[in-house]
Amino acid sequence: MAGFRNGRGRDNRPPQQQPQQAPYGYNAAPPPYPQQQWPPQAPQGAPQGAPQGYGEPEYFGDPYPQQHAGTANNPGHTQAFSIHDDPYGSAATYQAGAAPAAPTGPRLPWKALLSGIVLRPAQTFLQMRDYAVWGPALVVTFLYGLLAIFGFDKARDEAINATLSTAIPYVLMTGVGFVLGGAILGAVTHTLARQLGGDGSWQPTVGLSMLIMSITDAPRLVFAMFLGGENGLVQVLGWLTWLAAGALLTVMVSRSHDLPWPKALGASAIQLVALLSLIKLGTL
C-alpha cells in the first residue's frame, strides 16, 4: 500500500512542463508596424472629385502636369524634368578650322565675279568660297589661251604666216592647253593648301585660280599683241601682273581655306613659279 501511495506502479517519468499561456496582451509578439502610406494629394487648383491615382507609380507621369511649384516635391508629387529642351540647341562638336556650314553670301553672277576679283578680291573670294565657278573659269581661260599665242613673237609670226586651215587648229589647241594647264596648277594649289591645314573645297579653288591667272595677265597680253613681247613696257607689265597674281592667289587661298597669308602664299608658290616660267619669262 505504501508503494501504491508513493506512486509506485505509475509512470515514473517526470511530467512535461506545459508552456504557460500568457494572459492576453502580455509577452505577445507585437504585430508588424504597418508601413505608412501617403495618400496622393490632388494639386492645388484641381477640380473636386478628380481621380487620386491610387496604385499608379509616380514615374508614369502626373495627370496634372501644371502643378503648383509649392507642391512639386511633396510626397506623391515628384517633379518631372524635361530632357529634350536644350538651351544651346543641337549644336555639333566644334572642330578647329572647320568650314562654315552655310555660304557667306549668294552666288555672284559672272559680271560681278569678274569685276569683284579686281575691285573687291577679299570679299569676293570669301563669298564664293563655297561655289564652283566652272563656267566663267573655262570660258575666260579658253579665250585667254586663244589670244596668248599672239603675245609671243615667234608663235605670233608662225600663226600669222601659216595657212588658215593650219592656224585655226593651232590656236584652238593653244586655248585648250591653257585650260588644262590652269586646271592642273589650280589643283596643285588646292592640294598644297589642304596639306598646310586648309579646309576649302577644290572646285572653287581651282576655278578661282584659273580666273586669277587669266585676268591678271590680260594687261600684259594686250600690249604684247601690238608691241611685241620684247618691248620694255611689256616686260615691266609682265612683272607687275605676276606680282598681282601672287597677291590675288594668296588672298584667295587665305579666304577659301582659312589660312594665314604666309601659308596661303606657300600654297600658291608652285603655281606662281610655273606662271613665271611659262608666260612671263617667255617675254623677257
Side-chain angles (χ1 to χ4, degrees):
M1 295 297 290
F4 181 79
R5 286 194 300 266
N6 290 334
R8 295 174 181 173
R10 298 180 179 179
D11 190 1
N12 293 327
R13 292 179 299 178
Q16 297 181 358
Q17 296 180 359
Q18 299 293 332
Q20 297 180 358
Q21 183 176 4
Y24 181 78
Y26 295 92
N27 297 330
Y33 185 78
Q35 185 178 1
Q36 185 178 3
Q37 301 291 334
W38 295 93
Q41 300 176 3
Q44 295 183 5
Q48 297 292 334
Q52 301 297 326
Y54 291 104
E56 180 182 357
E58 294 176 359
Y59 50 79
F60 282 148
D62 192 352
Y64 308 100
Q66 298 178 351
Q67 58 185 357
H68 194 270
T71 61
N73 293 321
N74 289 340
H77 295 278
T78 303
Q79 185 176 0
F81 297 91
S82 175
I83 62 175
H84 61 274
D85 294 332
D86 187 1
Y88 299 99
S90 56
T93 303
Y94 174 76
Q95 296 180 358
T104 57
R107 179 193 295 270
L108 294 174
W110 68 272
K111 291 182 179 181
L113 173 62
L114 297 181
S115 62
I117 292 176
V118 178
L119 302 177
R120 302 173 302 276
Q123 178 182 354
T124 300
F125 294 145
L126 182 62
Q127 186 170 347
M128 295 299 292
R129 60 167 291 169
D130 298 305
Y131 297 108
V133 291
W134 290 120
L138 295 177
V139 173
V140 171
T141 306
F142 181 72
L143 293 178
Y144 167 77
L146 295 179
L147 299 176
I149 191 175
F150 298 100
F152 303 96
D153 295 339
K154 184 178 179 179
R156 180 181 56 189
D157 294 338
E158 292 178 356
I160 293 176
N161 297 327
T163 61
L164 186 61
S165 59
T166 305
I168 291 179
Y170 184 59
V171 172
L172 292 178
M173 291 179 59
T174 304
V176 174
F178 270 88
V179 171
L180 295 178
I184 294 174
L185 292 177
V188 172
T189 300
H190 168 74
T191 302
L192 291 177
R194 294 302 294 263
Q195 293 294 328
L196 294 175
D199 56 9
S201 302
W202 71 274
Q203 297 185 38
T205 304
V206 175
L208 291 174
S209 66
M210 295 171 64
L211 288 174
I212 292 173
M213 177 191 71
S214 303
I215 292 175
T216 54
D217 194 53
R220 183 205 64 83
L221 180 60
V222 171
F223 284 91
M225 292 174 60
F226 298 98
L227 301 178
E230 299 296 332
N231 184 272
L233 177 61
V234 174
Q235 295 180 11
V236 173
L237 286 176
W239 284 105
L240 293 178
T241 55
W242 179 77
L243 294 175
L248 289 179
L249 283 174
T250 302
V251 175
M252 185 271 293
V253 175
S254 176
R255 294 298 186 272
S256 298
H257 288 267
D258 291 333
L259 289 175
W261 73 266
K263 290 186 177 181
L265 179 59
S268 308
I270 293 181
Q271 185 169 2
L272 289 174
V273 172
L275 293 178
L276 182 64
S277 301
L278 299 177
I279 297 176
K280 302 297 187 293
L281 293 182
T283 63
L284 296 180

